[in-house]
Amino acid sequence: MARTRTEIRALGDVWNPTTLWYAKAVQALNTRALTDKTGWLYLAAIHGFDTALWQGFNLINGGTALPQQAEQDAYWNQCQHQSWYFLPWHRAYLLTFEDILRAWITAQPGAPQDWALPYWNYSAPVSAANPNPLAIPDAFTAQTLPDGTPNPLLVPARFGAAVAAQDADLSNTLPHQTFIGEQEGTNSGFGGPQTPFSHAGEDGGWLEDQPHNPVHVDVGGQDQNGNGGLMTDPRSAAADPIFWVHHGNIDRLWEVWLRRNTADANPTDPAWLSGPTDQPFRLYDATGADRPSNPQDVIGLIGTTYTYDDLSDPLEGMTRRGNRLDRLAPQAARILA
Ligand SMILES: [Cu+2]
């Protein structure tokens, strides 16, 4: 049965079992060496790694042993940005991470066997139960876990407190009806422009540009000297535990987009489906063994391997308002005539 990723505030108490097990698993992975493919820092380095930057954040020091250069070249600095591979690569990346966490969690006494990563919906409607969806969830700011030990979800190099309201706005992102964008031009596409392996580039797709990028910047924030936090830079972002609940939401919004309009569809171009040929994606399972992680391997996973608690269209009310205006238009035209 597909496991369900649930919105972190919809899970209830700050330290509901899903979030508490997430924190404990982060702590366990943090004890593993940088050369361990199932360790916290190795997983972060898959997204991005930079020796000086990591030393500046005290993630490593001059004496930390690194994997062989050939292994670093194959597995590290892989994140796909400004590319039509942005969404599928990050989906495969999240799966590797979630599988490694679940392997540790399910081996603990009394742990839930169906554990899935929570996600953070900063664009959720304000309600009595969720008065400030834009604020960083409490589990990431609490000093301690319920047992009084330090909270591994709180990291010093996170200087933001909330997402700016305009940065969480989805009304310009979800209505775009083509996945593939133009390389140069005004339509960047929902998913991004066609590229080879693209660790960095020029033009991102709509979902990457909004809300993905500004949420990174808002959450990373700035210290008194104007230096960004872990989340601000792709080379350090995945070392902040909040990265994974942000990207869970981005992955969810891809599926929301597919479902909200029958015109919205993934590319069928083999060059997208089978992934880049210039540098193949190298992601793996909970044992560290490589597994196929190209777009064709991950697009069918929603509803079979995992799903989300909410895949409804957040713009549905706005669409109805639009329809009402359309209906009023002929009358207005008569009055003006
Ligand atoms: Cu990101």
Side-chain angles (χ1 to χ4, degrees), residues 10-336:
L11 286 162
D13 288 351
V14 176
W15 296 118
N16 65 81
T18 300
T19 306
L20 183 56
W21 281 109
Y22 179 48
K24 288 180 173 177
V26 169
Q27 195 163 47
L29 266 58
N30 253 317
T31 64
R32 297 175 181 169
L34 180 56
T35 49
D36 182 341
K37 287 176 84 174
T38 68
W40 177 258
L41 290 178
Y42 193 108
L43 286 159
I46 291 174
H47 196 268
F49 176 78
D50 180 84
T51 307
L53 187 71
W54 279 42
Q55 288 186 2
F57 281 126
N58 291 317
L59 297 171
I60 57 171
N61 59 47
T64 307
L66 302 178
Q68 298 291 320
Q69 190 59 47
E71 184 178 345
Q72 290 185 44
D73 292 345
Y75 290 98
W76 286 10
N77 289 311
Q78 297 281 299
C79 72
Q80 298 296 294
H81 287 282
Q82 291 81 40
S83 166
W84 65 347
Y85 296 129
F86 167 71
L87 290 169
W89 184 85
H90 281 84
R91 174 169 294 175
Y93 181 45
L94 246 63
L95 281 170
T96 290
F97 177 74
E98 188 182 43
D99 282 355
I100 289 168
L101 262 64
R102 194 171 47 257
W104 181 85
I105 289 169
T106 55
Q108 309 308 309
Q113 298 301 299
D114 61 348
W115 184 87
L117 196 65
Y119 70 91
W120 171 27
N121 183 9
Y122 24 78
S123 311
V126 172
S127 68
N130 190 2
N132 195 355
L134 296 163
I136 290 178
D138 292 344
F140 292 88
T141 58
Q143 294 292 324
T144 56
L145 298 181
D147 66 4
T149 58
N151 176 12
L153 303 184
L154 173 65
V155 291
R158 188 198 302 132
F159 308 117
V163 172
Q166 72 269 19
D167 294 341
D169 180 25
L170 300 171
S171 59
N172 281 325
T173 294
L174 293 176
H176 288 273
Q177 288 180 4
T178 48
F179 187 99
I180 306 172
E182 299 161 355
Q183 191 59 258
E184 307 280 332
T186 51
N187 179 16
S188 44
F190 180 77
Q194 177 169 2
T195 66
F197 185 97
S198 173
H199 187 51
E202 298 283 309
D203 288 310
W206 282 101
L207 185 54
E208 183 175 357
D209 283 350
Q210 169 95 6
H212 168 264
N213 287 345
V215 169
H216 270 281
V217 173
D218 291 348
V219 169
Q222 285 189 345
D223 68 10
Q224 308 97 306
N225 303 317
N227 298 313
L230 291 167
M231 277 283 277
T232 312
D233 191 317
R235 297 170 300 172
S236 55
D240 185 333
I242 207 166
F243 170 94
W244 305 94
V245 298
H246 170 34
H247 267 275
N249 190 48
I250 296 298
D251 185 65
R252 184 184 69 94
L253 289 171
W254 178 14
E255 186 66 16
V256 166
W257 177 77
L258 285 170
R259 292 181 184 217
R260 72 183 293 272
N261 188 326
T262 48
D264 297 343
N266 286 326
T268 53
D269 186 337
W272 184 74
L273 288 168
S274 55
T277 50
D278 52 335
Q279 188 174 343
F281 295 155
R282 298 289 295 275
L283 288 160
Y284 46 87
D285 65 17
T287 69
D290 272 21
R291 68 176 167 203
S293 297
N294 289 308
Q296 65 194 6
D297 304 305
V298 298
I299 51 175
L301 298 180
I302 305 272
T304 54
T305 299
Y306 72 98
T307 189
Y308 290 95
D309 61 334
D310 183 4
L311 290 167
S312 64
D313 178 9
L315 302 185
E316 212 191 326
M318 295 182 63
T319 310
R320 272 197 220 103
R321 247 195 337 270
N323 287 343
R324 199 159 56 232
L325 286 174
D326 287 347
R327 281 201 305 278
L328 286 172
Q331 276 177 308
R334 267 200 305 278
I335 292 163
L336 286 171

